[in-house]
């Protein structure tokens, strides 16, 4: 079973290894108090609406929440952590001027859930461009991730676009890591949720960061109320998508980075 590299929190080193291996872990990046605050914000919504996304792909014993910045203000300190953004800079800014949150989802795998089907996150885009990563993902462990409770399954090196059906069990590993750690993986890397054979849930917060000229997976403009979006500082609003991409794409009045011109 292959290993996932575990590196200290150096954005360039993590980004370089991510491009080479398809997945990297940085352990205990976040303080327990911040993790506890996010979990507290998520608990009520998990219980009230977490099962509305159940299906064959997501599982029937897995709670999910989207629009995280509309649910948890504490989560903004996770989504915009300097290391995570530094890794996104290293990988994504080779092919864009700015990037945005593609989606952010809290996932609670409950006892008795089975293995999720292996997949690639960016397969919903209809094309591939050789050498261009459309997005990266950062899975933050809000509880310990173990072999027994459903730690994310990953296939290191699978950014080579091998056929998923050809992947054998010995090519799959699990991202075992303590709470507060983060697993980075490329949008092309094959992965899936794991089986929970314990009596307690396994909870994570997965956020994707996509090239600024791509359509976001999650529509933050409609998912998160405008008054909530406006209450965040400018860097968070920009991550949601309230920014242009360079001087001509997605421009709007008052944007200092965009141009308006007459046809």
């Amino acid at each position: 079973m292959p290993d996932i590299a575990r590196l200290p929190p150096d954005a360039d080193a993590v980004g370089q290894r991510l491009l080479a291996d398809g997945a990297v872990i940085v352990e205990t990046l976040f303080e327990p108090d911040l993790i506890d605050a996010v979990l507290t914000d998520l608990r009520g919504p998990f219980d009230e609406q977490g099962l509305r996304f159940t299906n064959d792909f997501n599982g029937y014993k897995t709670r999910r929440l989207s629009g995280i910045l509309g649910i948890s203000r504490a989560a903004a300190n996770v989504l915009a952590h300097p290391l995570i953004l530094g890794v996104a800079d290293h990988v994504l800014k080779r092919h864009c001027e700015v990037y945005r949150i593609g989606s952010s989802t809290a996932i609670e795998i409950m006892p008795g859930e089975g293995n999720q089907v292996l997949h690639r996150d960016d397969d919903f885009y209809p094309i591939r461009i050789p050498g261009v990563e459309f997005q990266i993902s950062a899975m933050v462990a809000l509880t310990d991730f173990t072999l027994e409770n459903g730690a994310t399954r990953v296939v290191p090196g699978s950014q080579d676009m091998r056929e998923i059906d050809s992947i054998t069990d010995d090519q799959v590993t699990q991202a075992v890591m303590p709470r507060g750690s983060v697993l980075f993986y490329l949008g092309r890397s094959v992965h899936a949720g794991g089986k929970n054979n314990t009596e307690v849930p396994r909870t994570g917060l997965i956020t994707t960061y996509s090239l600024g000229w791509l359509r976001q997976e999650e529509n933050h403009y409609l998912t998160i109320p405008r008054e909530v979006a406006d209450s965040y500082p400018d860097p968070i609003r920009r991550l949601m998508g309230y920014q242009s991409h360079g001087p001509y794409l997605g421009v709007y009045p008052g944007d200092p980075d965009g141009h308006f011109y007459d046809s």
Side-chain angles (χ1 to χ4, degrees), residues 1-2 118 153-156 167-174 190:
M1 186 177 294
L118 292 171
R153 297 185 298 143
V154 184
V155 183
I167 293 172
T168 55
D169 289 344
D170 63 326
Q171 296 174 327
V172 182
T173 190
Q174 285 185 264
V190 176

Side-chain angles (χ1 to χ4, degrees), residues 10-25:
D10 178 283
D12 287 339
V14 172
Q16 183 175 354
R17 192 65 177 267
L18 179 59
L19 287 169
D21 293 358
V24 180
I25 290 173

Side-chain angles (χ1 to χ4, degrees), residues 34-44 46 142-143 179 203:
L34 176 56
I35 298 300
D36 287 342
V38 174
L39 283 170
T40 297
D41 288 344
L42 297 178
R43 185 68 269 151
F46 261 144
L142 301 181
T143 59
R179 72 190 298 252
T203 309

Side-chain angles (χ1 to χ4, degrees), residues 57-121:
F57 178 78
N58 290 329
Y60 293 94
K61 295 182 179 180
T62 296
R63 296 186 177 102
R64 289 176 177 261
L65 296 170
S66 61
I68 297 302
L69 287 171
I71 296 173
S72 172
R73 296 193 71 83
N77 295 312
V78 175
L79 275 59
H81 189 279
L83 176 72
I84 292 178
L85 299 187
V87 174
D89 285 349
H90 185 98
V91 176
L92 298 178
K93 280 195 169 180
R94 301 173 305 146
H95 304 293
C96 68
E97 296 190 35
V98 297
Y99 51 83
R100 305 180 291 179
I101 293 173
S103 66
S104 189
T105 308
I107 302 175
E108 185 174 70
I109 299 179
M110 296 184 290
E113 182 64 280
N115 282 330
Q116 187 185 32
V117 63
L118 292 171
H119 62 281
R120 291 183 169 95
D121 277 349

